[in-house]
Amino acid sequence: MIQFIDGNEALVQGALKAGCNFFAGYPITPATPILLSMMSELPARGFTAIQGEDEIASIGFCIGAAMTGKKALTATSGPGLSLYSENIGLAIMGEVPLVIVDVQRLGPATGSATKDASMDIQFVRWITSGGYPVIALAPSSVEDCYLLAVHAFNFAEKYRTPVFILSSKEIAQTRMRADLDLVALPEILERTSPASTGSGKAKAVSFANELMQPIGIVGGEELSRFTGSSHDEWGNLTKSPEVIASLNHHLNTKIDADDVALWAYSGPEKPKTLIISYGIVSRSVNEALREIKNRETGHLILKTLWPVPETVLKTYLAEAETILVPEMNHGQYLLEIERLKPVGTKIIPLNQINSELIHPKRIAEALLEVSHA
Amino acid sequence: MPESIQSYLKPEVKSFPFCPGCGHTTNLHHLDKALVQMGADPKKTVIVTDIGCVGLSDQYFDVHAFHGLHGRSITYATGIKLANPELKVIVLMGDGGCGIGGNHLVNAARRNVGITVMVFNNFNFGMTGGEHSVTTPIGGLTVTTSGGNIETPLDVIGLSQVCGAGFGARLTTFDKELPSIMAQAIEFPGFSVLDIWEFCTAYYSPRNDLDKQAMLAISEAHSLPFGILVNRTDRREYTTNLAAQPAKQTKLPPDLSPRFGTLKSGKLELILAGGAGQKIKSTAGILGQAAILSGGYASQKDDYPITVKTGYSSAEVILSPEPIDFTGMMSPSAALILSIEGFQKEKDKLKEMGPGSFVFLEQSLPEPVTQAQIIRVPFEAIAKKVDRNSVALVGLGVLLSKTGWLSKESVEAAIGIGQKAAWLESSLAAFNAGWETGFSV
Ligand SMILES: Cc1ncc(C[n+]2csc(CCOP(=O)(O)OP(=O)(O)O)c2C)c(N)n1
Ligand code: SF4
Ligand SMILES: [Mg+2]
């Protein structure tokens, strides 16, 4: 079916497709439309959506609901994401499946509420104490919002962890022609109830990095135990250095970067010049390459930003002589590419934070400079 | 439901980890008695603890246990209750938690969500070393109020009451009826809250010679009476209320499968600008939908001030036979300017417009600086005759009949999509009035 919809609407359709059955959020531009849609879509399906008194309450509601077995979603923008910080730590520690949409807008503090930028790229990675890995996906189109919403719920279930969707104003609020039926979706993963342990108590977690592990359900048949404090596999508090070490090792290693890597590449097999982009900027790059009929340049669009898809990046970085990294921030993902690139590869950052999209002309000019150099 | 449980405390646990004489110990034994008295089903009971010494409590009970962040226990409890309303959800929090999480107390009470909050109120932060809290009495000595506390203590029950809590009681840890009132609170269908005064034997009590007698004096001096102070059943519990709300059916956006041939024009970039109330946004949507119905692609980006009912309203629409990547304006093909607010907003973009492009301008507006062909039309005056609210549709009619970029049928179909029947006729009339005018400008 062909629709004229924006990224926020597509994201809601994707979340519903993935089985989202709980939402809590607090209004903030440009994420508010997700709240409004969920407040009507979920009750229409017999589920619950609620506007919290603030972002802290909203993510708290989601965490509580998620641990009863719900597939929970919340959506915000930079200022609200800042308030989520401590609870994201809890969700990492308690291994809570949860999807968090950050519809990015420009600036720290209030910034330019209705303007686009990619300011939260490193923020979501280091958003809370501990420095543990998170999963973050970045759509660059309306169709991506739909697709990545489904992936996000799947990854949240598979790895029992909060998953971010790093949308942004231009993707979220620009209507486009889209046919979501043409988007090939992954199989939808459902949570499994823990097998009886015989003791009447549910295991909280296994430190063996098992995927899709059955988890204790608050209100389930076996008594569950959830805690944000250091705990053993049964959720009991512990002071044992050995147990604490295995808990923290587990949290640090449980996400398989290759498994969650999503990307798209177009261009020659071994490009001399490579552009690496993500989010809305990818579209400026596409436009530029088409406009100047450039077929020698490779274009790698990253849809998974965290964990860094190192295998993919290293493969492409190995071949190119020059890498162009356009970003609507001061060079946040550049840091990751710089640390992975072979010695001698030239990196050209292209940054813009002026409330406007990067014009394809700027990209074309940068490519021209590369070819003259 | 288990027949009769003698104790909900884990059999392997012999004692609690609190200091000797700590009120938390007494309270937890009372809570155990309350659960026994109720015959609570462990699988349907959840203890959510806050942070602080009180936060160590949940793990001693054989019920579902949830231990989260400081001050946020009420939010997890609310999420659990919303997700599974048949659960009995009990929050155990300190007076410290009431301070940092006061907003959640206020809102849980306002919602009347069916959870029970038990405040283990020992007048200070036990865990962090005896700092003052929101409930420290006036004059109370703590490590952070060495000259005596000068902040008025929070009336936990009074606050909850004015916010709409269903059940509230203030008690002391000595009260014989504490277990039965705890049970009553847990069984209460709406929001219930207990302010349980007790001892921190490490800090507050010794420093302030707090005993039972002194507690009574504090109660007297601060007008904080004991007993069941709130008990009203006139408000329905939140999840019950929510379930009773009529579920409105939602619908997907309309199907826009092409049905009017193919988009003949090349890529077009259009600016629609006017004032609030001129239906710029919906008209831009109609334009985009008409292009899609004509087999093309479209993008639409709206811009308006936060104060939506005043000032400018503008939209950028791109129509293209090919999929659209970049949604910014590169070289606008036409601008439709309907009011002075829209003129001011877009006048810089008009400057960039070259020969071969068009500016359709409301008759009365000033002369813009542009190389585009300027076409002045009395849009307002035409709209007044058909539908004064549809100035933008009049404008669209003029623009499209003049340029021939989209067929009349495709726009009429787009107007029909998602439009309320009451509006349809006048919208079509406005568009047609514009369309006719377009031949003569
Ligand atoms: C966000 C945050 N700030 C501060 C702390 C440190 N902290 C731990 S317990 C506590 C106070 C607890 O006092 P109360 O709630 O009265 O519980 P009690 O120890 O008296 O039982 C504080 C401030 C924390 N854990 N989290
Ligand atoms: S410090 Fe105070 S509150 Fe904490 S266990 Fe000791 S007496 Fe109880
Ligand atoms: Mg206390």
Side-chain angles (χ1 to χ4, degrees):
Chain A
M1 186 173 99
I2 296 178
Q3 308 178 72
F4 192 36
I5 53 167
D6 64 27
N8 278 339
E9 291 172 275
L11 197 144
V12 166
Q13 291 187 37
L16 294 171
K17 192 87 187 171
C20 172
N21 50 15
F22 188 90
F23 180 91
Y26 185 82
I28 185 166
T29 303
T32 306
I34 298 177
L35 163 71
L36 303 193
S37 293
M38 293 311 272
M39 293 291 288
S40 54
E41 296 293 350
L42 287 186
R45 290 164 172 76
F47 303 132
T48 300
I50 181 169
Q51 176 177 322
E53 55 268 28
D54 58 22
E55 283 86 352
I56 299 177
S58 300
I59 190 172
F61 296 166
C62 285
I63 290 173
M67 295 313 290
T68 71
K70 299 286 181 194
K71 287 186 168 183
L73 177 74
T74 184
T76 188
S77 191
L81 196 64
S82 310
L83 291 181
Y84 284 179
S85 166
E86 194 190 6
N87 266 311
I88 289 168
L90 181 69
I92 290 172
M93 189 60 143
E95 308 201 37
V96 181
L98 171 63
V99 178
I100 300 168
V101 182
D102 173 20
V103 186
Q104 296 171 97
R105 61 191 223 184
L106 189 151
T110 301
S112 302
T114 59
K115 300 295 175 191
D116 201 294
S118 314
M119 309 292 264
D120 301 342
I121 306 301
Q122 290 287 345
F123 181 38
V124 297
R125 171 62 189 89
W126 305 105
I127 191 156
T128 195
S129 177
Y132 285 121
V134 295
I135 299 174
L137 311 178
S140 47
S141 66
V142 166
E143 288 86 348
D144 273 357
C145 289
Y146 180 69
L147 173 65
L148 296 187
V150 175
H151 276 298
F153 276 97
N154 273 357
F155 292 156
E157 293 296 333
K158 198 169 179 182
Y159 290 99
R160 298 188 45 181
T161 194
V163 176
F164 296 93
I165 300 178
L166 281 164
S167 179
S168 73
K169 191 268 165 187
E170 290 283 344
I171 296 166
Q173 295 206 290
T174 303
R175 289 172 91 185
M176 306 288 292
R177 166 177 155 164
D179 188 345
L180 301 182
D181 298 337
L182 301 181
V183 177
L185 296 178
E187 185 197 337
I188 285 154
L189 302 179
E190 300 297 346
R191 208 171 303 176
T192 46
S193 300
S196 174
T197 55
S199 63
K201 292 176 190 170
K203 233 176 157 177
V205 69
S206 151
F207 293 161
N209 292 353
E210 283 169 34
L211 300 179
M212 285 308 291
Q213 36 171 297
I215 67 180
I217 302 277
V218 174
E221 275 304 298
E222 305 214 298
L223 297 181
S224 63
R225 198 154 291 278
F226 174 95
T227 178
S229 300
S230 292
H231 53 271
D232 64 16
E233 291 183 316
W234 295 87
N236 296 314
L237 305 196
T238 182
K239 291 198 161 70
S240 151
E242 290 77 29
V243 178
I244 291 175
S246 46
L247 162 67
N248 286 275
H249 177 74
H250 163 64
L251 293 179
N252 199 36
T253 54
K254 70 177 194 173
I255 299 166
D256 176 354
D258 289 338
D259 178 50
V260 300
L262 300 168
W263 80 97
Y265 176 78
S266 56
E269 209 172 303
K270 293 183 175 177
K272 269 170 50 179
T273 307
L274 175 69
I275 305 181
I276 300 177
S277 75
Y278 56 86
I280 188 71
V281 175
S282 308
R283 305 247 299 272
S284 296
V285 176
N286 286 341
E287 184 88 31
L289 293 175
R290 197 171 44 235
E291 196 82 346
I292 60 173
K293 299 196 171 52
N294 178 319
R295 296 204 177 78
E296 312 80 72
T297 303
H299 183 200
L300 177 62
I301 304 176
L302 298 179
K303 314 260 169 163
T304 301
L305 295 181
W306 306 108
V308 176
E310 296 201 3
T311 312
V312 179
L313 273 169
K314 280 182 185 157
T315 309
Y316 285 100
L317 287 169
E319 301 296 338
E321 289 168 15
T322 311
I323 319 275
L324 191 65
V325 187
E327 294 185 84
M328 284 171 66
N329 54 44
H330 291 288
Q332 295 195 8
Y333 211 68
L334 186 73
L335 300 168
E336 307 306 319
I337 296 165
E338 271 174 343
R339 81 181 161 82
L340 293 173
K341 76 168 178 85
V343 183
T345 309
K346 190 168 173 210
I347 294 214
I348 305 174
L350 196 160
N351 307 102
Q352 181 174 307
I353 309 101
N354 66 350
S355 83
E356 291 178 346
L357 292 175
I358 297 183
H359 199 288
K361 234 189 288 174
R362 278 200 71 196
I363 303 201
E365 282 162 11
L367 284 174
L368 208 63
E369 267 174 50
V370 172
S371 61
H372 287 332
Chain B
M1 181 77 110
E3 264 316 296
S4 73
I5 295 175
Q6 299 306 305
S7 169
Y8 288 75
L9 295 171
K10 276 193 199 165
E12 65 269 30
V13 175
K14 299 286 170 257
S15 65
F16 294 114
F18 308 117
C19 304
C22 173
H24 295 358
T25 302
T26 333
N27 290 349
L28 292 184
H29 283 300
H30 286 323
L31 176 59
D32 183 34
K33 283 197 201 115
L35 295 172
V36 171
Q37 198 175 311
M38 291 166 55
D41 180 353
K43 293 176 186 169
K44 300 285 172 223
T45 307
V46 189
I47 295 181
V48 180
T49 57
D50 212 85
I51 291 287
C53 296
V54 63
L56 299 168
S57 305
D58 59 290
Q59 54 181 324
Y60 297 94
F61 287 81
D62 263 341
V63 299
H64 292 282
F66 193 113
H67 176 58
L69 299 178
H70 190 26
R72 315 303 167 195
S73 45
I74 289 175
T75 69
Y76 313 122
T78 301
I80 290 167
K81 186 71 183 180
L82 287 171
N84 189 350
E86 66 169 18
L87 300 179
K88 300 264 183 237
V89 190
I90 304 158
V91 171
L92 304 181
M93 70 194 292
D95 42 313
C98 284
I100 188 170
N103 192 20
H104 310 308
L105 180 68
V106 163
N107 286 285
R110 280 182 50 248
R111 293 189 182 103
N112 201 28
V113 60
I115 62 172
T116 300
V117 173
M118 299 186 183
V119 180
F120 287 12
N121 184 354
N122 54 17
F123 311 103
N124 76 163
F125 294 4
M127 183 166 267
T128 46
E131 301 83 359
H132 74 290
S133 77
V134 290
T135 66
T136 305
I138 296 281
L141 296 172
T142 71
V143 284
T144 47
T145 55
S146 55
N149 179 39
I150 53 173
E151 300 173 7
T152 302
L154 176 73
D155 177 351
V156 174
I157 304 302
L159 175 68
S160 305
Q161 179 172 23
V162 296
C163 293
F167 185 92
R170 181 172 296 108
L171 303 136
T172 70
T173 192
F174 312 108
D175 283 315
K176 293 278 173 301
E177 65 274 34
L178 188 49
S180 63
I181 292 182
M182 281 176 158
Q184 199 180 342
I186 298 167
E187 301 276 31
F188 186 82
F191 181 75
S192 55
V193 52
L194 304 180
D195 179 12
I196 306 166
W197 288 14
E198 45 119 298
F199 296 122
C200 173
T201 49
Y203 303 110
Y204 197 82
S205 304
R207 221 169 256 154
N208 293 277
D209 296 326
L210 189 69
D211 57 14
K212 197 172 170 180
Q213 224 32 54
M215 269 189 199
L216 297 179
I218 293 168
S219 159
E220 195 82 358
H222 293 84
S223 308
L224 297 169
F226 294 110
I228 296 176
L229 305 170
V230 192
N231 192 357
R232 53 185 282 205
T233 49
D234 55 319
R235 290 186 70 211
R236 215 159 36 170
E237 191 272 329
Y238 187 78
T239 56
T240 314
N241 237 342
L242 205 57
Q245 291 226 314
K248 292 206 191 79
Q249 283 313 304
T250 56
K251 45 181 201 279
L252 280 174
D255 181 12
L256 300 174
S257 298
R259 59 198 83 151
F260 296 101
T262 52
L263 193 66
K264 288 182 292 277
S265 59
K267 188 175 177 187
L268 299 166
E269 298 178 1
L270 304 159
I271 296 168
L272 277 62
Q278 284 188 317
K279 293 203 187 156
I280 300 292
K281 189 175 162 182
S282 61
T283 303
I286 287 166
L287 177 59
Q289 289 182 334
I292 295 169
L293 290 172
S294 307
Y297 290 80
S299 72
Q300 176 192 352
K301 202 186 306 192
D302 306 314
D303 192 0
Y304 40 84
I306 301 296
T307 48
V308 289
K309 292 282 186 197
T310 177
Y312 71 88
S313 172
S314 75
E316 295 178 354
V317 179
I318 301 176
L319 316 180
S320 170
E322 306 290 330
I324 298 164
D325 267 310
F326 183 64
T327 54
M329 295 275 111
M330 299 208 273
S331 63
S333 325
L336 176 61
I337 310 290
L338 298 170
S339 78
I340 189 69
E341 297 93 340
F343 180 89
Q344 297 296 357
K345 167 80 189 356
E346 303 296 354
K347 66 176 193 285
D348 288 341
K349 283 197 201 122
L350 303 185
K351 276 185 206 159
E352 309 284 312
M353 289 173 63
S357 61
F358 304 96
V359 174
F360 291 86
L361 198 67
E362 168 60 37
Q363 193 88 53
S364 56
L365 293 176
E367 192 69 9
V369 180
T370 181
Q371 288 178 281
Q373 183 186 342
I374 298 173
I375 300 168
R376 286 185 178 271
V377 182
F379 298 114
E380 282 262 15
I382 299 170
K384 266 206 188 102
K385 288 187 212 146
V386 276
D387 175 20
R388 49 188 269 286
N389 295 318
S390 294
V391 185
L393 273 176
V394 172
L396 188 66
V398 175
L399 187 153
L400 290 178
S401 74
K402 176 79 186 165
T403 58
W405 286 335
L406 286 173
S407 70
K408 187 161 180 266
E409 298 72 45
S410 68
V411 181
E412 285 174 342
I415 292 174
I417 286 171
Q419 185 83 283
K420 288 199 194 84
W423 299 97
L424 185 56
E425 207 171 315
S426 59
S427 300
L428 285 172
F431 174 70
N432 280 314
W435 185 269
E436 291 308 319
T437 310
F439 294 117
S440 57
V441 295

